[in-house]
Amino acid sequence: MDNKELAMTCDVLVVGAGIAGIMAAIEAAREKQKVVLMSSSHIFSGSSFYPGTWGLGLIAPEDEEDEEDLIRTIRTIGCGMADEAMVRSFVKEMRPTIAYLQEIGLQLKDAKEKNQKEFIPCFDHKTRSWHGVVADKARERFKELLQELEITLLPYCELVDVIEEDHRIVGALVCERNQELRFIETKAVILATGGYGGLFEKKLTTSDITGTGQFIALEHGCTLVNMEFMQMMPALVNKEGKASEVPIIFNEKTFRYATLQQDSETDQTVMDCDKKMLEQRATYGPFTSRMPSREIDFLIASHDKEGLQVSYNKELLEDMPEFIRTYFDWLKKKRNLTPDSEIRISMFAHAANGGIKINEVGATDLLGLFACGEVTGGMHGADRIGGLSTANGFVFGKRAGKAAAEYAKECLKHTGIRNKDREKELSLWEIPNREQIKSDMQRSMMEASMVIRSERSLHQALETIMTWKENMIVKSTTDVKAYVESRKLWAQLQLATGILQAERLRKESRGSHYRAEYPNIDSQYARRIEIKLQDNCVITEFEEK
C-alpha cells in the first residue's frame, strides 16, 4: 500500500447506524465531542430498520412498582442467565429514556387499546407501557439531529479493526466503499454493529449484520457472553420453502386463530395442535424450550423444505384485534397477502440475546472501547421479553454515547497512533475460495444451531468449520475488497467456532437453547458461558461464580 495521511481525526467513532449507534452518536455529540458515525451499509440500517417487519415497539414499566415486577420478570424469563445489576440498571433507565426521546422530538405511537392481550409483550405476563416507533418519522427526526449536531456520516464504510496502544484505543482501520483503506484517529470507539445473523443461511436480518463487531472486540481482549442464546423466529416462505429477498416475519399473535396443515401426496391433513397449545404459542414470537407449545416450532422445523401451511378461521375476520389488523394492513401493502391467502412459514435465525460483555455504561475491558445494542450481552438471558431489544438500543446507546464522550474528554489530547507508517506494514491477504467456505459455514450453522440441536449435529458443524480453518489457503493480494471480505470471513469462522463450542458445553435446554438429548433445564448449568480468544484460539468456558 502507498502511505496515506489519516482519513480524519475525531473524539468518538460510532460504528453501526441502527437505533443504538444513532443514539450513541447523538448523545456523544450533545456532550460537545467531535463524532463520526459510520456504517457498512446506509445510515438508518441494521435490524432496527429491518424492512421485513411491520413495526418496532419498545416497552417500559408503568411506574416504580412496575419496575420491580419487570426486573423480576426479565430475570425469570432469562432463566437465570441475565446479569442482575445490568437488568436493574436497564429497567431503571427505561422511563427516563422515553421522556428523553419525547424531549428530542422523536415521535412515539401509543396503543389505542393497550389493554388488549395482544399488547402483552412476548413472554411477559401483563401489559406494560408500550410505545411504537414510527420508522419514517424516526428517520426524519434522527436526520435532523445528526445535521444539527454536525455529526460526520460515513455510509458504506466497513470497520476492519480497532487500533490500541498500551491497552487503550487510539484509532481504527476502515475501508471506504470497498475500495480504500483509511486510518481514523480517535479517542473512543463505540461498537453498535448488531447481532450475528449473517452466520446463518436463513436469517431475518439485513446483509450488514455479520457478527464481525463481536470478533473485533474478542481480538482485543474482550469477553463474549450468552452467545448460545440465539432467537429463532417463523417467517413467510413460498411452496419451495424459500423466502422473498427480504423475509417477512410472521405475526405470532395470529397463531390463536390458525390451523396448521401439511401437504401429502393425495390430500391435506390437519395437524394435531389443540387450541390451548396455539393460544400459548400466540403469546411469544421466538422459539423457547420452556413451554409445551415448543412442539409447534418442532413441527415448523420439520417442514423446512416446503414450509408449514397456515390457514385462519372466521373468528379472526369477524373481530380482528388492533395489533393484528395493523399487521395485515401492512402485509397487504407489502406482499398483497390477506388472511385468505396461502401462507407458509419456516424457521429463521433472528436476534442474539448475547454478545460483548459490558458494564452498566457500555464500557468493555479495553479502555476507550464501548458497545451498545444487539452486539452486547448481559442485560438479557436465555429468553428475552418483547420490546426489550429496541429499549436496549435506546437506553444503552444513550449511555454508551455519554460514557464515551466523558472518557474522550479525559483524554485531553490524542495520544496519537505512534507508528504513522502502519500502512506500510499492513500486508494484505485473501482467502481464494471464500464464497464456498462462507456457504458451507452458513449451511452448517443452519443444520446445527437452529431450533433442534444435538451432539452429533454440533460436532459435525464444528468439524466442518475447524477443517476449513486448519486447511485454509491464504495468499497475498493488492485487492482491498478481497482483503476486507477475507478478514470478515475469518472473523465469522472464529465466532461460529465459539458459538458451537458454547452450544455443546450447555448440555441442557434453557430458553432459546434446546438440546434434543437434554430436553430439560439442569441446575448444574446455571451459569453463563463466556467466550474469549487466547493465542488466536477460541476458548469457551463457564463464568466463575
Side-chain angles (χ1 to χ4, degrees):
M1 291 183 60
D2 294 329
N3 190 31
K4 300 178 186 301
E5 294 298 320
L6 295 175
M8 62 184 64
T9 299
C10 65
D11 298 310
V12 178
L13 171 65
V14 182
V15 186
I19 281 175
I22 291 169
M23 285 295 294
I26 288 171
E27 191 63 15
R30 282 166 62 99
E31 291 292 322
K32 310 301 182 185
Q33 296 300 287
K34 183 180 178 182
V35 178
V36 171
L37 174 62
M38 60 174 276
S39 172
S40 60
S41 180
H42 51 81
I43 306 299
F44 311 119
S45 57
S47 296
S48 299
F49 297 96
Y50 179 65
T53 186
W54 63 98
L56 196 63
L58 70 151
I59 63 165
E62 299 278 359
D63 48 36
E64 287 187 19
E65 183 179 346
D66 198 32
E67 285 181 356
E68 293 302 318
D69 180 85
L70 183 53
I71 290 167
R72 287 192 299 271
T73 305
I74 291 173
R75 296 188 65 208
T76 299
I77 297 302
C79 304
M81 295 295 105
D83 182 276
E84 182 177 2
M86 290 290 288
V87 173
R88 183 165 292 277
S89 175
F90 180 24
V91 172
K92 292 290 183 182
E93 191 65 22
M94 287 179 185
R95 289 195 296 148
T97 297
I98 287 174
Y100 169 88
L101 295 176
Q102 293 169 335
E103 174 192 322
I104 64 174
L106 197 70
Q107 182 177 331
L108 298 177
K109 180 181 178 182
D110 294 330
K112 296 177 182 177
E113 302 176 60
K114 66 177 183 179
N115 291 323
Q116 287 185 343
K117 58 186 175 183
E118 281 76 17
F119 282 101
I120 297 176
C122 166
F123 295 132
D124 210 344
H125 66 96
K126 65 185 290 293
T127 56
R128 306 283 179 183
S129 175
W130 184 90
H131 303 273
V133 180
V134 183
D136 292 340
K137 296 292 183 182
R139 284 191 191 92
E140 289 177 16
R141 183 55 188 147
F142 278 143
K143 186 176 181 181
E144 291 172 353
L145 288 167
L146 294 172
Q147 291 175 341
E148 290 169 12
L149 293 166
E150 298 182 344
I151 295 170
T152 300
L153 304 181
L154 292 180
Y156 303 101
C157 188
E158 189 104 30
L159 177 67
V160 179
D161 201 359
V162 296
I163 301 167
E164 60 170 294
E165 299 280 7
D166 300 325
H167 197 64
R168 178 188 297 269
I169 287 288
V170 295
L173 175 65
V174 305
C175 179
E176 297 176 321
R177 296 182 181 272
N178 283 326
Q179 294 178 344
E180 202 165 35
L181 291 172
R182 289 279 192 264
F183 287 113
I184 297 180
E185 191 171 357
T186 185
K187 300 171 185 176
V189 171
I190 302 175
L191 295 175
T193 51
Y196 46 91
L199 300 184
F200 294 82
E201 191 174 33
K202 291 170 65 177
K203 52 192 176 291
L204 297 173
T205 64
T206 47
S207 59
D208 54 326
I209 305 301
T210 62
T212 51
Q214 288 87 334
F215 179 73
I216 287 172
L218 203 61
E219 269 193 314
H220 291 270
C222 298
T223 300
L224 307 182
V225 65
N226 285 345
M227 293 291 282
E228 70 272 30
F229 300 122
M230 178 80 179
Q231 290 185 335
M232 306 299 167
M233 291 270 284
L236 275 58
V237 294
N238 60 23
K239 287 184 178 181
E240 289 72 43
K242 303 293 184 182
S244 59
E245 185 176 342
V246 178
I248 299 292
I249 296 175
F250 179 74
N251 186 337
E252 74 279 357
K253 304 296 184 183
T254 67
F255 271 122
R256 182 174 288 113
Y257 307 94
T259 298
L260 306 182
Q261 301 173 318
Q262 67 175 349
D263 295 331
S264 68
E265 292 182 2
T266 57
D267 61 0
Q268 237 177 25
T269 305
V270 177
M271 300 308 296
D272 184 20
C273 292
D274 60 31
K275 187 173 178 60
K276 185 177 180 180
M277 189 178 287
L278 288 166
E279 286 274 354
Q280 186 180 71
R281 188 59 185 86
T283 63
Y284 60 91
F287 164 75
T288 182
S289 63
R290 292 182 295 111
M291 301 183 190
S293 49
R294 68 189 187 185
E295 296 295 330
I296 292 176
D297 296 270
F298 297 157
L299 181 62
I300 298 170
S302 71
H303 286 72
D304 187 59
K305 290 185 179 180
E306 72 279 12
L308 183 65
Q309 188 171 341
V310 178
S311 60
Y312 295 109
N313 58 37
K314 292 181 179 180
E315 182 186 350
L316 176 63
L317 302 176
E318 293 170 354
D319 186 19
M320 192 176 292
E322 177 190 351
F323 194 91
I324 294 177
R325 184 170 61 252
T326 300
Y327 166 69
F328 274 112
D329 287 347
W330 175 84
L331 197 57
K332 173 70 175 176
K333 182 179 179 181
K334 282 285 184 178
R335 293 287 188 270
N336 197 31
L337 294 174
T338 71
D340 294 322
S341 302
E342 180 176 310
I343 291 176
R344 292 173 181 267
I345 56 176
S346 184
M347 297 302 291
F348 286 70
H350 178 45
N353 285 354
I356 303 167
K357 196 173 185 178
I358 59 171
N359 67 11
E360 289 91 334
V361 297
T364 71
D365 293 330
L366 176 62
L367 288 173
L369 183 63
F370 299 80
C372 56
E374 196 186 337
V375 75
T376 64
M379 70 294 299
H380 308 303
D383 276 329
R384 183 178 69 216
I385 293 174
L388 289 189
S389 180
T390 306
N392 177 26
F394 281 122
V395 169
F396 285 98
K398 181 174 180 289
R399 281 189 172 178
K402 185 175 180 63
E406 290 174 350
Y407 172 86
K409 289 175 185 177
E410 292 175 3
C411 301
L412 297 180
K413 61 179 181 179
H414 285 277
T415 56
I417 299 176
R418 290 178 185 169
N419 186 359
K420 297 292 185 179
D421 292 327
R422 280 181 181 270
E423 290 189 358
K424 290 180 179 177
E425 294 181 357
L426 185 62
S427 57
L428 304 190
W429 51 271
E430 71 168 310
I431 303 168
N433 54 339
R434 55 186 175 275
E435 287 303 320
Q436 180 63 52
I437 298 174
K438 181 179 177 181
S439 177
D440 280 2
M441 175 199 68
Q442 290 176 327
R443 192 179 308 110
S444 294
M445 292 297 286
M446 284 296 300
E447 292 171 353
S449 296
M450 289 292 286
V451 173
I452 302 175
R453 301 168 186 174
S454 68
E455 177 61 27
R456 180 182 178 184
S457 64
L458 292 170
H459 175 74
Q460 287 179 339
L462 199 52
E463 283 289 301
T464 298
I465 290 171
M466 294 300 289
T467 299
W468 275 121
K469 286 164 60 177
E470 291 167 3
N471 299 315
M472 187 173 292
I473 298 172
V474 176
K475 66 177 187 179
S476 61
T477 185
T478 57
D479 187 335
V480 170
K481 182 178 179 181
Y483 165 68
V484 172
E485 290 300 317
S486 297
R487 178 169 162 75
K488 188 190 302 182
L489 174 59
W490 176 251
Q492 290 182 315
L493 289 171
Q494 290 283 65
L495 194 62
T497 300
I499 292 168
L500 290 166
Q501 288 177 177
E503 291 169 347
R504 289 185 74 188
L505 191 57
R506 187 165 293 287
K507 292 179 169 59
E508 61 164 355
S509 294
R510 187 182 291 262
S512 60
H513 180 82
Y514 178 78
R515 287 290 299 270
E517 305 97 328
Y518 312 100
N520 301 312
I521 286 181
D522 190 330
S523 60
Q524 70 173 311
Y525 296 105
R527 286 186 289 161
R528 287 178 284 272
I529 294 176
E530 295 184 338
I531 300 173
K532 299 178 182 179
L533 198 66
Q534 295 179 8
D535 299 324
N536 210 32
C537 292
V538 179
I539 307 298
T540 310
E541 58 193 5
F542 281 102
E543 182 181 41
E544 293 184 9
K545 290 185 177 179

